[in-house]
Amino acid sequence: MLTMGIDPGTARCGYGLIEVDGDRLKALEFGSIETNAKARMQDRLEKIYDTVDVLMKKYQPDVMGVEKLFFGRNATTAIPVGQARGVVLLAAAKNRIEVAELTPAEIKLSVTGYGGADKRQVMFMIAKLLKLEGQIALDDTADALAVAIAVTNAKR
């Protein structure tokens, strides 16, 4: 099974593609799509859509996982995150890819065994599960890989 995880955002949109290789998980590709803060929003969203679409066409994942929208303390950041999430969901629909949505607590629980885990614990477990010591530089990328791991675990 091949799973794509997405951590949507307009400044940076994290992505990670993992597959099941026997009993272990293997990272195929991961990174972040970065957009220029001075660019028009529609251009930023187009870049996210186009990049995700290319990844989907290249890898043809069985399922894409995306975090459920969480407003938290700052509702103003939820609007651009929701817009990025929308273009990612559109790319999945256009490519006929199943979508699984998980809450942050569900993702943390799946990756670390504790739904209240902090970023450091999640990053440690991602590196351990995927054998990626020192290769994940950005939170967005780590979050996308965590989503992919959680969805893969739920589907196994």
Side-chain angles (χ1 to χ4, degrees):
M1 180 173 69
L2 181 58
T3 305
M4 180 178 212
I6 298 286
D7 179 40
T10 52
R12 276 196 304 262
C13 180
Y15 65 89
L17 289 126
I18 64 169
E19 70 176 349
V20 177
D21 184 15
D23 287 342
R24 74 180 204 102
L25 301 174
K26 179 181 173 186
L28 296 181
E29 186 170 337
F30 53 90
S32 290
I33 305 158
E34 296 193 32
T35 65
N36 184 338
K38 294 180 182 177
R40 299 178 313 165
M41 183 54 77
Q42 62 264 37
D43 296 330
R44 296 172 80 183
L45 294 171
E46 181 181 34
K47 180 178 181 179
I48 293 165
Y49 175 85
D50 288 346
T51 305
V52 169
D53 185 58
V54 165
L55 288 166
M56 288 177 172
K57 283 178 174 30
K58 178 180 178 182
Y59 289 100
Q60 300 178 348
D62 300 299
V63 62
M64 179 190 79
V66 64
E67 191 173 297
K68 286 185 180 176
L69 193 54
F70 175 71
F71 288 94
R73 288 183 236 150
N74 192 350
T76 58
T77 60
I79 294 169
V81 169
Q83 291 172 325
R85 192 173 182 279
V87 299
V88 166
L89 293 173
L90 176 62
K94 291 279 196 179
N95 285 282
R96 304 291 185 250
I97 296 170
E98 176 189 352
V99 175
E101 299 178 87
L102 299 162
T103 66
E106 289 170 326
I107 294 163
K108 291 175 184 179
L109 179 64
S110 179
V111 173
T112 69
Y114 173 57
D118 65 26
K119 279 265 192 225
R120 191 174 39 83
Q121 292 168 311
V122 173
M123 289 183 83
F124 173 80
M125 286 306 298
I126 291 165
K128 186 174 178 91
L129 291 168
L130 298 174
K131 299 184 183 350
L132 298 173
E133 298 300 323
Q135 294 183 39
I136 306 170
L138 298 172
D139 286 353
D140 308 280
T141 304
D143 290 347
L145 286 168
V147 171
I149 291 168
V151 169
T152 301
N153 287 343
K155 296 282 183 184
R156 287 207 265 180

